[in-house]
Structure formats: structure tokens, C-alpha cells
Amino acid sequence: MKHLEGVLQGITHLGFDTGPIIHFIESNPKYDSQLLEIFSRIHRNQMVGVTSVITLCEVLVHPLLKNNTGLY
């Protein structure tokens, strides 16, 4: 986790593409600890996370197609 701390040093805003958000929602074990740390920093107002409305559409399309209401 020290490597992640060094990478995020001085970062105040972080843009997200769809992939990391899907990995976070699905608790992907390969990325979960790193994404949890990043989203925790956003939750604690230590940084701002931004994305686009396109990401929202991409994140919701699979659960909507599968009628998986637990994911949206």
C-alpha cells in the first residue's frame, strides 16, 4: 500500500473510467484493496473523484440487461 500512497501523493482530483468502478462494485480481489483505499480517500474528502455520464451508462447496462436489481 506504500506504493499507492506515493502515487497518490499530492493528487486532489482523480478521473475514473468505467473499469475501476466496475471492479470496485464487484469487489474484484485483484484490485479491491487499492480501489477501497482510493474510494475511502474520496469518502473522507481527501480527494475528489470524477467520471462521466457515459460511465454511468456503461456501469448500469449489464445489470439492467440481466434484471439484476442488486447492482443498481
Side-chain angles (χ1 to χ4, degrees):
M1 198 60 66
K2 284 188 176 197
H3 176 71
L4 183 62
E5 290 175 17
V7 170
L8 295 176
Q9 180 103 19
I11 301 296
T12 60
H13 291 72
L14 189 60
F16 290 94
D17 194 15
T18 306
I21 294 174
I22 290 173
H23 289 309
F24 181 70
I25 292 168
E26 295 179 350
S27 298
N28 184 313
K30 185 174 180 179
Y31 306 107
D32 198 42
S33 65
Q34 294 170 335
L35 290 172
L36 184 58
E37 174 60 27
I38 291 169
F39 282 104
S40 293
R41 288 176 184 220
I42 293 168
H43 181 74
R44 293 188 308 260
N45 295 316
Q46 294 176 330
M47 72 170 51
V48 175
V50 296
T51 192
S52 72
V53 69
I54 295 169
T55 296
L56 178 61
C57 294
E58 290 175 333
V59 167
L60 289 177
V61 71
H62 185 74
L64 288 171
L65 288 173
K66 300 292 183 178
N67 198 28
N68 184 345
T69 58
L71 288 177
Y72 61 88

